[in-house]
Amino acid sequence: MAAFYREVAKYFRMVRFDPRGAGISGEPPDEGVSFDGLARDVQAVAEALEVDDLVSLGVTSLGPTAVRLAVDRPDLVTHLVLCDTGPRLADLPLDAYVRATDAVVGLGVIPSLAGLFPTTPTDDLPALERLMRGSLYNRSPTKPRDLRHLDVTSVLDQVRAPTLVIKTQDSLYTDTAQTRLLLSGIPNSELRIVPGTMAPWLADLDSMVEALVSFLTSGHHRPQSTDEMLTVVFTDLVSSSELLDREGDISGRRAFRKVEDLIAGLSSSHSGQVVKHLGDGSLITFNSTRRAIAFALDLQDQMMSQPVQMRIGMAAGEPIQDRGDVHGAVVVQASRIADLGTAGEVIVSDSVRQLALGKEFEFELRGEVHLKGFEETQRVWVATRSAERARPAII
């Protein structure tokens, strides 16, 4: 789940919360779970975060709620994405899943959880058990949580937002009949089938992200390119998970925050713009390729004293800019290039190298690579300071 959220957050602002009656949101209200209550929750979160428009992502049992929100608030929901769900929960094969999960949680036996989650520290298992108990909608002792009565069949034709219906090839939670009902009922809808057993989390990550990016950056409400050439820089912390395991969440997050502050200060001094931080990485843009490379090399110098190391990827082009964010092929390219690097390296596209020729940098060919999502192979280079630039000066 975390991998999906982090990857999507490279391209969009990702907001996730537990709906009432699930997870850390605790027990449902006395009146139970309803469309109106769930919709109010979404709207409350949107208002708290000052979100004026949003993409409603409805997964499995919350699919009908996402549909209903799109119908009731067309001013708020610009796009609708439905993953392995259907218009009527009673028709979805959720019962077998609920019974299986109930059987495990109902035992209340810590050793059984230890067998299911062998890497979880023993002291954390009681908390894990409580979390599992609290995250079930359909357990009979808490029947007010039951969502299986929710049905949006009659209002599908009222959805005005462009809609993407995603179904996994081996879905455990829906079938072709339910998918067909959504597509035939929602006027402006399209289908994507991806490998996996449950979208978006138990599906092929690259397929999911490609489906979302292509859907949300084309068609209705498409942001327009300003034809402005930018150099896009992606930073990515190496072995960040190991740092969290070693230092703990709080100390690890402090280390990440220190790096984010470092990036903010250096990017500002090099006339760059931090678009967003991504937990263990950041996205920064520059109007000047020379300044972008100088920033990246200075950042790597500063990172030598940090408890975690970094790799940096860079590409140049004309991204789509919208509401302070950037999207498009050049953004994806920079992200993929960052994945190729090792700790301490700055890897750049051929377009970046060409724009920086004659400047105070040297470029060593890393090779011809095939980046995911791009048909043609591309040359990538390792950027360093020129030998003359690196020599100390005596004045």
Side-chain angles (χ1 to χ4, degrees):
M1 288 184 176
F4 169 73
Y5 293 136
R6 291 192 185 106
E7 190 67 20
V8 172
K10 292 180 179 179
Y11 313 103
F12 310 102
R13 185 184 186 189
M14 187 79 186
V15 180
R16 185 205 174 280
F17 71 99
D18 284 334
R20 58 180 62 196
I24 61 174
S25 289
E27 294 296 319
D30 293 337
E31 68 270 18
V33 176
S34 65
F35 272 134
D36 292 340
L38 290 169
R40 286 199 302 270
D41 294 342
V42 176
Q43 294 176 67
V45 171
E47 290 173 4
L49 297 175
E50 299 181 349
V51 175
D52 296 324
D53 53 22
L54 56 84
V55 177
S56 183
L57 177 64
V59 180
T60 60
S61 59
L62 288 200
T65 300
V67 172
R68 182 65 177 268
L69 182 67
V71 171
D72 292 345
R73 290 295 307 274
D75 59 313
L76 179 65
V77 178
T78 63
H79 294 72
L80 177 62
V81 179
L82 301 172
C83 297
D84 278 330
T85 189
R88 185 169 179 263
L89 290 187
D91 295 332
L92 296 181
L94 291 169
D95 284 344
Y97 163 72
V98 171
R99 285 196 302 271
T101 313
D102 255 3
V104 173
V105 177
L107 291 174
V109 179
I110 296 299
S112 69
L113 292 180
L116 288 171
F117 305 100
T119 61
T120 300
T122 303
D123 292 344
D124 292 343
L125 290 176
L128 176 61
E129 182 186 20
R130 289 193 298 273
L131 178 63
M132 291 179 68
R133 287 183 182 278
S135 65
L136 299 178
Y137 282 109
N138 301 294
R139 297 188 70 220
S140 55
T142 54
K143 213 56 175 173
R145 249 191 280 235
D146 196 345
L147 299 181
R148 284 172 288 184
H149 63 283
L150 301 184
D151 186 353
V152 292
T153 306
S154 63
V155 298
L156 291 178
D157 61 348
Q158 299 177 35
V159 175
R160 295 294 174 261
T163 301
L164 175 64
V165 178
I166 299 178
K167 181 184 181 301
T168 49
Q169 290 175 341
D170 302 306
S171 176
L172 301 174
Y173 299 93
T174 188
D175 54 31
T176 305
Q178 295 300 308
T179 304
R180 190 178 296 116
L181 286 174
L182 292 174
L183 294 170
S184 61
I186 299 176
N188 189 13
S189 59
E190 59 183 85
L191 172 67
R192 288 293 293 268
I193 298 177
V194 298
T197 56
M198 186 182 79
W201 307 301
L202 302 182
D204 179 74
L205 182 59
D206 289 332
S207 298
M208 276 298 310
V209 173
E210 190 278 328
L212 288 173
V213 171
S214 61
F215 172 67
L216 296 175
T217 58
S218 63
H220 295 263
H221 305 281
R222 179 173 183 173
Q224 296 299 312
S225 172
T226 60
D227 294 330
E228 180 183 6
M229 174 69 75
L230 293 177
T231 301
V232 178
V233 178
F234 257 107
T235 70
D236 181 35
L237 294 179
V238 178
S239 303
S240 56
S241 298
E242 287 81 352
L243 175 69
L244 292 175
D245 289 339
R246 184 175 67 250
E247 303 290 339
D249 289 343
I250 295 178
S251 296
R253 183 57 212 162
R254 286 174 182 162
F256 292 173
R257 177 65 70 183
K258 188 174 181 180
V259 172
E260 290 173 0
D261 292 342
L262 175 61
I263 289 172
L266 276 177
S267 63
S268 177
S269 66
H270 288 280
S271 302
Q273 175 67 45
V274 176
V275 177
K276 54 188 172 184
H277 296 298
L278 307 165
D280 57 356
S282 299
L283 170 60
I284 312 102
T285 60
F286 293 82
N287 290 315
S288 163
T289 301
R290 183 187 64 79
R291 290 182 181 274
I293 299 174
F295 157 79
L297 294 173
D298 287 348
L299 177 58
Q300 289 292 30
D301 289 344
Q302 296 285 333
M303 287 299 298
M304 293 177 65
S305 62
Q306 300 299 318
V308 64
Q309 298 303 297
M310 176 182 290
R311 54 191 177 188
I312 299 177
M314 195 180 305
E318 297 178 355
I320 296 170
Q321 302 182 62
D322 181 53
R323 293 184 175 90
D325 208 344
V326 291
H327 314 283
V330 65
V331 179
V332 179
Q333 183 185 25
S335 173
R336 300 293 190 226
I337 290 175
D339 293 339
L340 301 174
T342 59
E345 285 189 326
V346 176
I347 310 295
V348 305
S349 67
D350 197 55
S351 59
V352 169
R353 183 190 69 90
Q354 293 181 33
L355 288 169
L357 288 177
K359 310 299 182 183
E360 63 271 23
F361 312 110
E362 293 182 354
F363 301 92
E364 179 183 349
L365 181 63
R366 171 55 58 88
E368 299 268 353
V369 298
H370 185 273
L371 302 177
K372 290 183 179 179
F374 296 85
E375 293 183 2
E376 299 180 356
T377 58
Q378 302 181 36
R379 285 187 173 186
V380 294
W381 305 76
V382 181
T384 58
R385 291 185 178 87
S386 67
E388 292 183 1
R389 176 77 175 181
R391 258 193 241 110
I394 299 177
I395 301 177

